[in-house]
C-alpha cells in the first residue's frame, strides 16, 4: 500500500528490504541483552540510521530524515504509556500483551 504514494518525504526513492529490518531487530535484541539494564539509545539510533538503513541512503537531506525517523522509535519516551510516534497520535506502540493481543492490534 505504501508504494502507491511514492517516496513521500524523501528526495530519492529507496528500496528498504526485509533484511534491513531484520538486522535492526537482531541488533536491538543483542544490545538489550548485553547492556541490561541500560538501553544504549545512541548506539541503536546510529546502527539503524547510519549503518543499516542509512547504508542505502545517499542524499544528505534524506540522511537527516532517516536519522529523525529512527529517533522517534529509539528513545526513552517509548516506555511512557501515552507515547505516540507522530503528532497525529495515530501511531503508537501497543500495550504489553501476548502474541494474540499483538496480532489483534495489527489487524485493527
Amino acid at each position: 500500500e505504501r508504494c502507491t504514494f511514492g517516496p513521500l518525504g524523501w528526495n530519492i526513492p529507496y528500496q528498504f528490504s526485509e533484511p534491513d529490518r531484520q538486522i535492526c531487530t537482531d541488533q536491538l535484541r543483542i544490545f538489550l541483552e548485553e547492556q541490561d539494564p541500560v538501553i544504549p539509545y545512541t548506539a541503536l539510533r546510529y546502527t539503524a540510521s547510519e549503518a543499516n538503513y542509512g547504508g542505502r541512503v545517499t542524499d544528505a537531506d534524506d540522511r537527516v530524515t532517516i536519522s529523525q525517523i529512527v529517533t522517534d522509535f529509539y528513545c526513552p519516551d517509548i516506555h511512557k504509556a501515552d507515547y505516540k510516534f507522530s503528532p497525529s497520535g495515530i501511531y503508537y506502540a501497543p500495550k504489553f500483551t501476548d502474541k494474540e493481543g499483538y496480532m489483534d492490534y495489527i489487524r485493527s
Side-chain angles (χ1 to χ4, degrees):
E1 179 182 334
R2 163 73 178 88
C3 293
T4 61
F5 297 103
L8 293 177
W10 302 98
N11 291 328
I12 299 171
Y14 299 99
Q15 295 297 318
F16 299 120
S17 66
E18 177 60 22
D20 295 330
R21 187 198 62 79
Q22 188 59 51
I23 189 67
C24 287
T25 302
D26 292 345
Q27 286 174 334
L28 174 61
R29 181 182 40 78
I30 291 166
F31 274 111
L32 292 178
E33 288 173 355
E34 291 181 359
Q35 302 293 322
D36 187 44
V38 176
I39 299 173
Y41 293 107
T42 303
L44 288 166
R45 286 190 296 259
Y46 179 82
T47 58
S49 68
E50 296 293 329
N52 303 335
Y53 288 109
R56 297 182 185 278
V57 178
T58 56
D59 181 81
D61 292 330
D62 288 346
R63 292 182 77 77
V64 172
T65 299
I66 197 164
S67 178
Q68 186 57 51
I69 290 169
V70 168
T71 298
D72 290 341
F73 291 88
Y74 288 139
C75 65
D77 289 343
I78 190 72
H79 299 284
K80 295 179 181 176
D82 62 344
Y83 182 75
K84 308 290 189 241
F85 295 118
S86 68
S88 70
I90 295 172
Y91 304 104
Y92 58 92
K95 293 183 179 180
F96 184 79
T97 185
D98 59 12
K99 180 181 178 182
E100 190 57 36
Y102 291 123
M103 295 304 291
D104 290 341
Y105 170 78
I106 291 167
R107 288 184 203 110
S108 67

